[in-house]
Amino acid sequence: MEIGLVGLGRMGGNIARRLMRDGHQVRVFARRREAVDELAAEGAAGAYSLEELARGLSRPRAVWLMVPAGEATEENVRALTARLEPDDVLIEGGNSYFKDSVVRAQRVREKGIHYLDVGTSGGIWGLEIGYCLMIGGEEEAFHRLEPVFKTLAPENGYAHVGPNGAGHFVKMVHNGIEYGMLQAYAEGFEILHTSTYPLDLRRIAELWNSGSVVRSWLLELAERALSDDPQLSAIKDYVEDSGEGRWTVMTAIEQDVPATVLAHSLFARFRSRQEESFGGKLIAALRQQFGGHRVIKT
């Protein structure tokens, strides 16, 4: 299948690579010419403007937008809407606020363009193990793009979850849960770290992943991070939040849901910017491990 891809960052570039591995024709564009050249050398068709990208795709076109949420997404949606035509499909795969996705979908539909909001999880590991895709929008557009979703996702790793906004809503809650899981591991490992026992935390992470009820991929990544730096001495206890945790807590308040764990995990990230703790370092290390997120070095 032929598809355009706008945005070649940590995830966008690997999405293009995974698609090309399965025989899809991918035309790519990014602000950095070097990123386009790199993918073009690997077999993608390079485009150096949105106009060139749109002209080079066969109709009905499909364009996947993979840029940061907020103004970057808004600017690119407007620019692409001006260059696409009725029956084309615009896929927004970033971590946008679901209410913004609903508004954008309505605006895009006025031109007869289909809009899919696709919550995308997998981070820097998605190239090899696949991306979990939570897809909102019209079923017709979903089925048209299903060959793309099948390529990107592992088995049972994609689903049409509802109308526009539902994809980013499900991804938002997913990331809110992630905040809580990270905080639980952080607090537990900090208790272990501060005890009087001479504990090997990497070995304990490995142990817990062997049949215990708290085993998970995040715990595998904790083992990896602790193996690289047992005391996490090279990482500052400074944990960013990219928006989804805040939106999840705001939504919980709107819906009268007592999301106490998720709220606490969000506030713990704010605390991490004021003082250091081993637990905060572990969250920072895990976010770097699964998503390639920035850490602040000591």
Side-chain angles (χ1 to χ4, degrees):
M1 185 171 187
E2 185 183 42
I3 187 168
L5 184 64
V6 177
L8 302 175
R10 284 194 306 264
M11 291 179 69
N14 281 344
I15 285 173
R17 291 182 177 95
R18 191 169 171 94
L19 288 169
M20 289 190 293
R21 282 183 182 181
D22 202 32
H24 296 277
Q25 298 173 288
V26 184
R27 184 171 294 272
V28 298
F29 168 73
R31 288 182 303 172
R32 289 194 313 111
R33 187 181 185 93
E34 298 80 8
V36 176
D37 290 342
E38 182 179 345
L39 266 296
E42 296 177 30
Y48 297 95
S49 68
L50 290 178
E51 291 85 353
E52 184 180 354
L53 180 89
R55 285 198 310 268
L57 292 170
S58 304
R59 296 191 60 194
R61 307 175 184 90
V63 178
W64 186 302
L65 180 61
M66 203 70 190
V67 299
E71 191 57 36
T73 293
E74 181 65 23
E75 288 179 4
N76 278 281
V77 168
R78 290 185 180 277
L80 285 166
T81 302
R83 291 161 175 81
L84 297 178
E85 298 177 78
D87 205 33
D88 290 347
V89 181
L90 178 56
I91 306 137
E92 207 273 275
N95 284 327
S96 289
Y97 186 36
F98 73 97
K99 292 184 179 180
D100 292 339
S101 300
V102 172
V103 172
R104 290 176 185 136
Q106 291 172 341
R107 192 170 69 232
V108 165
R109 276 201 303 271
E110 292 174 2
K111 285 198 63 176
I113 299 167
H114 306 285
Y115 193 90
L116 294 175
D117 52 285
V118 180
T120 307
S121 180
I124 58 176
W125 297 84
L127 175 61
E128 298 303 326
I129 64 177
Y131 300 90
C132 179
L133 304 176
M134 298 145 262
I135 304 157
E138 302 165 26
E139 286 199 47
E140 174 193 345
F142 162 74
H143 289 302
R144 186 190 303 178
L145 272 294
E146 201 162 0
V148 166
F149 303 140
K150 282 184 177 178
T151 288
L152 291 176
E155 186 176 2
N156 299 319
Y158 72 93
H160 181 257
V161 297
N164 282 122
H168 283 150
F169 179 79
V170 172
K171 179 58 162 53
M172 176 191 76
V173 177
H174 164 283
N175 282 29
I177 293 170
E178 174 197 303
Y179 277 42
M181 292 175 67
L182 291 174
Q183 187 63 30
Y185 283 130
E187 293 175 9
F189 274 90
E190 183 150 16
I191 294 168
L192 296 173
H193 177 70
T194 57
S195 79
T196 58
Y197 294 107
L199 300 174
D200 181 342
L201 300 189
R202 186 213 62 79
R203 179 67 183 95
I204 290 170
E206 179 185 42
L207 172 68
W208 285 351
N209 260 324
S210 301
S212 89
V213 296
V214 298
R215 64 187 182 274
S216 74
W217 183 51
L218 286 175
L219 201 54
E220 292 175 15
L221 296 177
E223 179 187 343
R224 178 188 173 105
L226 292 165
S227 177
D228 293 341
D229 183 0
Q231 298 299 317
L232 302 180
S233 55
I235 299 174
K236 283 188 66 67
D237 170 26
Y238 185 101
V239 184
E240 295 179 338
D241 69 288
S242 52
E244 298 92 334
R246 298 185 187 216
W247 300 333
T248 304
V249 172
M250 289 165 48
T251 303
I253 293 169
E254 292 173 0
Q255 298 178 189
D256 298 327
V257 175
T260 52
V261 170
L262 306 191
H264 167 70
S265 65
L266 173 64
F267 296 144
R269 295 198 176 193
F270 300 160
R271 182 219 50 77
S272 78
R273 300 163 200 175
Q274 299 173 339
E275 60 186 75
E276 285 203 352
S277 74
F278 187 83
K281 288 184 176 185
L282 185 69
I283 295 177
L286 284 173
R287 293 180 79 246
Q288 183 186 44
Q289 288 285 338
F290 70 70
H293 297 288
R294 181 176 70 97
V295 296
I296 297 178
K297 301 291 186 177
T298 55

